[in-house]
Amino acid sequence: SEDASSRTSQNAVGKESPLRRQVRSQVSSALHKGGSHVSPAVHALGSWVLHLLSRPSRGKLLDQTSVGRYLSALSPGFLAFGVQLDLGDLDEEEITDFYAQVIDPSLTESSNNEDAEEPAAEEPAGVGKTQAARSYVLLRLREFHRFAEVQYGLARPDWSELDQGLTGLLGNPGLITFDEYHQALKCLSPCPGTDLEEAVRNAFVLLLIFRFGLRGSEAVSLDRSDWVDVTGSVVVLVSGRHRKLKTRGSQRQVPLLGSLT
């Protein structure tokens, strides 16, 4: 119950050491004073650290050393790429790109994977320290985002893109089967020939995402001329005609694999 949870939280906080209480007070004071002078992204990271210092984990407060490791995992990327960002202003694609920079191998440290409070699973064969470190940073990013999504209403990133090469370690691939896709299409537009335009449009956006791998923002900004029929297949052009692309590499041609039913 909420009362039991509240009592657990109060008991845990009541047992914190004077040093921890001092650190928590200093972080809180720094956040309060630096609100208008610190990047919103960095401020959000500090708020998450304060949350970690304050909330119980498994009936007790998260070890202070672990909180420090969590911060060390994300702070290099946030300081290198987030000093000018307000995460609340980013769309799905932009926050995905930012998180991809945070987990850049050049910023990760293998020591991040040596958390005494939460030991990492044994590394699978062929998984190096750099990949394990990236996995550790990505796990911390997921935890940060769960907190920040509630606090600041952040857009949800494309975790499948960030998980590439790491899904075996994280155990959360988020796969959708072809049967599930077909069922979703039928729910959105059971009778394409007579359904309302909105229903057909929503089903078409799903088709673009599932069959061509487009991001949601790319799918909804597609131009009619970007759908190109070629002999025996279809090619979708991500042209940027109706939305600004971040890089030239974002402009691409995406062929349909297989055929449409």
Side-chain angles (χ1 to χ4, degrees):
S1 68
E2 291 187 12
D3 288 343
S5 175
S6 178
R7 284 196 298 272
T8 299
S9 178
Q10 291 173 359
N11 291 338
V13 172
K15 295 177 182 178
E16 68 178 344
S17 67
L19 176 59
R20 184 191 186 94
R21 192 177 299 115
Q22 180 183 2
V23 170
R24 192 158 57 88
S25 176
Q26 289 174 341
V27 173
S28 177
S29 177
L31 288 170
H32 180 71
K33 292 179 180 178
S36 59
H37 306 290
V38 177
S39 154
V42 175
H43 193 275
L45 183 64
S47 298
W48 178 60
V49 169
L50 183 62
H51 169 72
L52 293 177
L53 288 168
S54 305
R55 70 166 175 83
S57 175
R58 300 168 186 168
K60 61 180 181 179
L61 290 169
L62 183 63
D63 183 79
Q64 191 171 321
T65 304
S66 296
V67 177
R69 266 193 284 267
Y70 286 17
L71 176 61
S72 296
L74 301 189
S75 58
F78 273 69
L79 293 175
F81 303 108
V83 291
Q84 302 295 330
L85 292 181
D86 185 341
L87 299 183
D89 290 340
L90 304 186
D91 62 18
E92 172 192 322
E93 181 178 350
E94 291 168 335
I95 201 165
T96 300
D97 290 341
F98 171 60
Y99 283 176
Q101 291 174 314
V102 173
I103 63 172
D104 188 288
S106 65
L107 298 174
T108 59
E109 298 177 2
S110 59
S111 60
N112 286 337
N113 201 42
E114 301 170 359
D115 194 319
E117 184 76 11
E118 300 179 55
E122 183 178 345
E123 290 181 8
V127 175
K129 288 186 176 181
T130 299
Q131 190 176 17
R134 288 185 64 219
S135 299
Y136 183 88
V137 175
L138 184 53
L139 286 170
R140 303 288 79 82
L141 263 178
R142 283 182 175 275
E143 294 172 10
F144 164 78
H145 190 83
R146 280 197 295 270
F147 164 80
E149 189 174 22
V150 173
Q151 294 294 317
Y152 306 106
L154 304 190
R156 185 164 298 178
D158 183 352
W159 293 115
S160 63
E161 181 173 324
L162 295 168
D163 287 354
Q164 284 185 349
L166 304 176
T167 51
L169 298 176
L170 299 178
N172 184 23
L175 299 178
I176 298 175
T177 68
F178 208 84
D179 287 341
E180 290 171 329
Y181 159 68
H182 269 293
Q183 183 61 35
L185 271 182
K186 291 178 181 178
C187 290
L188 289 171
S189 179
C191 303
T194 58
D195 284 336
L196 295 177
E197 181 179 321
E198 181 179 2
V200 179
R201 180 200 65 197
N202 293 344
F204 185 64
V205 169
L206 176 63
L207 182 150
L208 290 170
I209 293 172
F210 186 88
R211 295 302 305 272
F212 292 90
L214 268 60
R215 289 170 167 160
S217 56
E218 292 173 337
V220 299
S221 61
L222 193 75
D223 191 85
R224 174 62 185 88
S225 60
D226 293 331
W227 177 277
V228 181
D229 292 295
V230 295
T231 305
S233 188
V234 175
V235 174
V236 166
L237 308 179
V238 181
S239 64
R241 193 186 310 272
H242 297 294
R243 65 185 300 274
K244 184 179 180 181
L245 299 178
K246 296 195 70 174
T247 67
R248 183 172 295 179
S250 299
Q251 187 172 1
R252 61 196 190 279
Q253 301 176 6
V254 187
L256 172 69
L257 300 179
S259 59
L260 295 173
T261 61

